[in-house]
Amino acid sequence: MTVKIMPIMAALAALIALGCAEESTDSDAENAGAAAPPTAIDSSPAAANVSQARLIAADEEPEQWMTYGGSYDETRHSTLTKINRDTLADLGIGWVYDMKKPRGVEATPVVVDGVMYVSGSWSVVYALDARTGKELWTYDPKVSGEDAAKGCCDVVNRGVAVYEGKVFVGVFDGRLEALDAKTGEVLWSNVTVDQSKPYTITGAPRAFKNKVIIGNGGAELGVRGYVTAYDTDTGDLAWRFYTVPNPNKEPDGAASDDILARLANDTWGDTGAWTTDGGGGTVWDAIVYDSVNDQVLLGIGNGSPWNPTLRDPDGNGDNLFLSSILAVDADTGAYRWHYQTTPRDMWDYTATQPMILADLPLGEGNAPRRVVMQAPKNGFFYVIDAKTGELISADAFTDMTWATGVDENGRPIEVPAARQLNDDMVVLPGPTGAHNWHPMSYSEDTGLVYIPTNIWPLIYSRPDPENTVKSNWNIGYRVDAGWPLTIPAGGIEDMRSMGGGSLLAWDPVKGEARWAVPFPVPFNGGTLSVASGLVFQAHKGGELVAYDAETGERVWSHGLVGGPGAAPMTYEVDGEQYITILSGWGSTIAMVYGVVFEDAVGPEMGRVITFKLGGQETLPKPLENGIARTPKSEPLGDDALQTKGLRLFAANCQWCHGAFAISSGVLPDLRWSAITATEASWDAVLREGALTTRGMVSFADRLDKEETDAIRAYVVRQAWNAQALDEADAPKATAADMAAH
Ligand code: CA
């Protein structure tokens, strides 16, 4: 695939000030979020009756889906076979449940004994009858708009854990909460982070041996990463492991003290941004319990700030344990082993992407060998011995420009120019990663791993001291890096064909691709493989598709409302097999770039959509945006003012409100917003914080009046520009467009 520079990625390089916290403008949606009094589950006297023994033997109960990844090994492979190539034609929608809140949905539901536990945006938890979608209870932890503004990537949540009658949820503002699985009542609630810092939680907790473990995110904004394990019954802290040293290199009184002193401290200098901002290394997604080796595998994120010459200026060390896979003892949190995928990370190459445990024929004489597999952002597919941490193989699963391979010591062979902050060096993968959080699956039958991949490059440029932006995004690169477009360019067509992705079937033993289905856009959904020889994946174009697991042949599809990114899962109740996918609109890249995927509709509700054989239900029509797509002000200022506004918009606004001020529909499209009509209404929101309760906080401490005026001039210009380009009604990438590829 030919790839042009992705100017939208300037959004990511840009120092983005806000976390896209704004809620729907639909006040009904907000009111509906107030949880009704919990109702007991009459039919389920032992709700969430999941024990350690039952989890370890999950293979014997394929009708359940008891953890985020389907089992402790997180293969996301099911041995259920009632839905297969012969019956696919009868697969239709069995039920649809509308969540209480708009915004992105990323969760994989858990299903135990006929009850589905699933989380949606704003960390709301839902218990549903898995046969019918009937609501049993909901729990809303009431995340505030101000706390929501701390996030980088929408108020999403990827799932819950269940264990011995409790449901555990990581709340966006840093809480970990235990709910009574029968009623949704809070049994205990712990604040797991310093809430004065920009920590957030979007990942799913995991439960094992009477412990529940959670990490956190925030490395784009300046935090120090760690995970914490708590007692499932009492909520008491069991152990904590920090992934990077304490800034003063002193002990924390944590499980990580010894190994940080032995291995990590000397890989960091004594000055620089890491000593004030925490260094990053957040564990925001993959945490996998390895029951065979009784250890927990942590996927560790990028450095904070990204730019290592600012993060750690007087050192040249590897900055352990950034961008590493690290194993700790399940009981104590004591270090076992680590493998660092990207020493001294500088490209946001997190290694927190999903991990899968499996036995592959990689032992002596092709004997089974227990391995952990990961396809992190940096584009290498890693196969590592789960017991020892020995690197078995690292093969590029995507085109890359930053490295040419991995040497005999397991270190990437870097292309020197990729580290030189050179304006001409297009780095691939970019910070969205060759693979992100979207779960991959592994089929024992085919021996293949099914990976949703992205292609999206970036130029990483030196920070410009003349052009610093006061913001709480903190990555240390120039804000207009890779931004070739100037006024008047900046329409939807400029956003297209600059990236892509694929569904990749990867052979982890041979270290090579078996087949790939290319897509015109990145960030498609996670995968589910089933023993009947199928792989299911949802696409941003708004459909769920089944592929032949051996060949990649597209064999079935069904439309969805919204642009899904979550992974499908499957379960069986009363002899009937179901497949569930969450669909909504929002999350990460959709907010800045989403108009390419989908029409600029009003905020779409998150939905739980469940398929079954013979299902006859239909989906609701997409929400319509009733706002007139006309400029609300005459053009303001000259090219110079509008160009200044463009740069400021890129630095401060576009991650939430869309590149070129073209909203994906998750948050209001400012081009058509009434607040652009007058200086007074614009200032009321941007400078006085009139919409703070909805999460749109004042920018008065970051932007002066001249700057907010310039942004308004740019936004109004873009409204007129859209009319001139005949793009006021945004075209959408439809399911048919996706199928054509
Ligand atoms: Ca990151």
Side-chain angles (χ1 to χ4, degrees), residues 196-283:
S196 72
K197 298 201 165 88
Y199 282 106
T200 52
I201 295 178
T202 59
R206 310 307 202 271
F208 51 88
K209 299 179 82 175
N210 294 308
K211 294 182 185 65
V212 56
I213 184 170
I214 192 71
N216 45 57
E220 272 62 62
L221 300 94
V223 299
R224 179 185 181 204
Y226 59 89
V227 296
T228 319
Y230 297 91
D231 184 291
T232 49
D233 289 325
T234 64
D236 291 343
L237 191 147
W239 52 261
R240 174 168 290 178
F241 190 98
Y242 288 94
T243 59
V244 301
N246 187 320
N248 57 21
K249 301 190 178 176
E250 295 292 321
D252 296 291
S256 42
D257 282 356
D258 178 54
I259 195 63
L260 290 176
R262 275 204 292 131
L263 279 188
N265 281 356
D266 288 347
T267 68
W268 296 78
D270 293 322
T271 64
W274 83 275
T275 62
T276 53
D277 297 344
T282 49
V283 183

Side-chain angles (χ1 to χ4, degrees), residues 220 302 348 350 377:
E220 272 62 62
N302 57 281
D348 190 24
T350 69
K377 281 188 179 183

Side-chain angles (χ1 to χ4, degrees), residues 12 152-153 218-221 282 284 301-303 306 345 347-350 352-353 377 431 436 473 475:
L12 203 50
C152 68
C153 309
E220 272 62 62
L221 300 94
T282 49
W284 56 262
N302 57 281
W306 294 358
D345 165 54
W347 306 280
D348 190 24
Y349 284 168
T350 69
T352 194
Q353 277 56 52
K377 281 188 179 183
N436 207 295
W473 260 59
I475 59 176

